[in-house]
Amino acid sequence: MSYSKKYIESIQNKEQFWEDQANALSWYTKPKTILGKDKYGYPQWFVDGKLNVSYLCIDKHIEDGHGDQDAIIYDSPVTKTKEHISFYKLHQEVSKLAGGLQALGLSKGDTVIIYMPMIPQALYAMLACARLGVIHSVVFGGFAPHELAIRIDDCKPKAIITASNGIEIERIIPYKPFVDEAIALAENKPEHVIVYDRNLGVEIPSKTYDIDYADLVSKSVSIEPIPVESNHPLYILYTSGTTGKPKGIIRDSGGYATALKFSMKHVYGVDEGDVYWAASDVGWVVGHSYIVYGPLLNRNTTVVFEGKPIKTPDASTFWRVISEHKVKVMFTAPTAIRAIKKEDPNGELIKKYDLASLKYQFLAGERCDVSTLRWTEQHLNVPVIDHWWQTESGWPMLANMVGIERLPVKPGSATLPVCGYDIQILNDNGKKVADDVEGFVAVKLPLPPGCLLNLWENPERFKNGYLNRFPGYYFSGDGGYKDEDGYVFITGRVDDIINVAGHRLSTAEMEEVVASHEAVAECAVFGVHCDLKGQKPLGLVVLKSGNSSNSQTISKEIIKDVRHEIGAVASLKDVLVVKRLPKTRSGKILRKLLRNISDDLEYNVPSTIDDVTIISEIEHVYKQNQIGIHKNIINHE
Ligand code: COA
Ligand code: AMP
């Protein structure tokens, strides 16, 4: 079948289309109502269906005779460990952990935070929660205790599941001490902290709320999956918004399972039994959808990789994993490829491995620049597919749906809308723009199954942030344009969110921390171009008059504060002291102008600026501090 036929079917006959896809799953109660609405009028899928996602990811495959197949391959260059985990073993681990959680008093509708490195126990924890109808919220390990505390106070978990430690390049990340610090900071104290000791000789501080993971599992009994309603939340995943407070994206169960199963075959082109690898982290949406739930729902073997594209031990790691585990489809962020390309510009390390198993290389998480696309195509010699989506959607919105029909690639475009997404480019007034004209990227409601249900305990923010801007549409927060063939080109965020090494961060949140430094009178944090990470944050600060400390000391303190409050992942390494910031006459800081000057982009000096001479002052500070696109370590071909 052709892409266009399938796509049109999904838009014109959506209920039939998604009912057919839902039939690919084993429901306890098949849904009769395919598309309904919640009390806010927002679409809900399969409301009267009942299922259990943990059952579909594990038990179903055992019942079908595939218990011996590898469900997970854990490959950890940082601990030099490899482990093959069959569906039988996964069942044992998950059902017993679920039994342990139940024995601790956890039941359907409770919340649990999971703060863990990339180890199989993180997946066991997610699947054990799903088995009970307990709503998990995984927090990325790169976030500091303060950020964890914000999430604890928002979703009020009964328990936290964590590990003794994680391992970054040559650095131990003390997960358990971070959890203790976060609990001390939070107002809502969880009853239990379940700690998985990795036995790597790291000291684990002990608290009265601690429960040993291994002990809990060994003493507990296996339990059966509990049927839940289709729109019962499977998880909450916090993501950066345009304010200092992260947003808790709520994901349903039935719509998500249907969409993921569909995407594995039709977007990624994998069949049951194939090995699939998303080199991301379970703390991000890519990890939820394509390390855990998507591949396991589709009975793929998923690779859990605890390492980096470089330095663990070198830039050949990805190729070793592909060849050793016979990966058919791989998914990573362009930034990972740029990191590899910088270390191995001619792809010499790639030649050392047999990559015959690899059929497609998918990229997402940030804009894919043309030179990264070309380099990857040239050296891997397989189709390289850029695709666009976000935490909110939970699965791809734009892609080259290779499982249906592989279309020509246009560099810079993530190709065409995925089945179910009616994507339009709108102007400020909500009217569709002409071809090649840039506008706001919006999706006509209803969104297909799998997308966000709402924001955790914040429906107002949900409506204001996504639905009110263009009535009848979901607003993605991205800008872009369509060409005459309908290919969509995403040009970047139109808000204060930045994308650093494929990690989504809020500059507003960083600004809050910077502004709280005692010497700072006012400040701006915004994203500037970075050849490796795509973007990086830059902070400009104006100091209070009469301040006696030296500017360099203040900059260092601010950088430390941001790392301490938000976490290492914020990657704020440049904070410059300036005399003043460019503003409009009404006092609004011109952040876009500041960014464009740094990125060497064309800019018009707004007529509303209060004083034009500031621009040359800023240019001078950038030059002095080697900030700017022309100063970066560029490795273009
Ligand atoms: N736990 C604790 N700290 C973490 C962490 C984690 N899970 N992940 C990252 N960090 C830390 C890093 O150690 C680094 O600390 P440093 O400033 O002390 O060096 C900091 O957070 C910034 O991390 P990152 O932006 O990832 O930079 P990096 O230099 O460590 O690595 C890349 C650069 C490009 C190799 C890496 O970002 C990468 O592999 N990116 C791919 C991203 C990806 O898969 N994104 C998911 C969407 S698909
Ligand atoms: P996240 O929610 O962390 O997945 O980040 C989503 C954001 O990343 C999107 O809103 C985009 O701004 C950006 N993004 C993701 N994938 C792409 C892509 N293929 N091309 C351009 N931008 C992307």
Side-chain angles (χ1 to χ4, degrees), residues 365-367 386-391 478 490 493 499 504:
E366 54 170 331
R367 228 175 72 79
D386 176 17
H387 60 323
W388 170 76
W389 52 296
Q390 45 185 203
T391 307
D478 280 339
I490 299 292
R493 298 288 308 192
N499 220 303
R504 174 166 158 181

Side-chain angles (χ1 to χ4, degrees), residues 511-527:
E511 258 184 37
E512 273 185 21
V513 182
V514 177
S516 65
H517 188 282
E518 57 182 10
V520 171
E522 58 181 351
C523 64
V525 179
F526 47 94

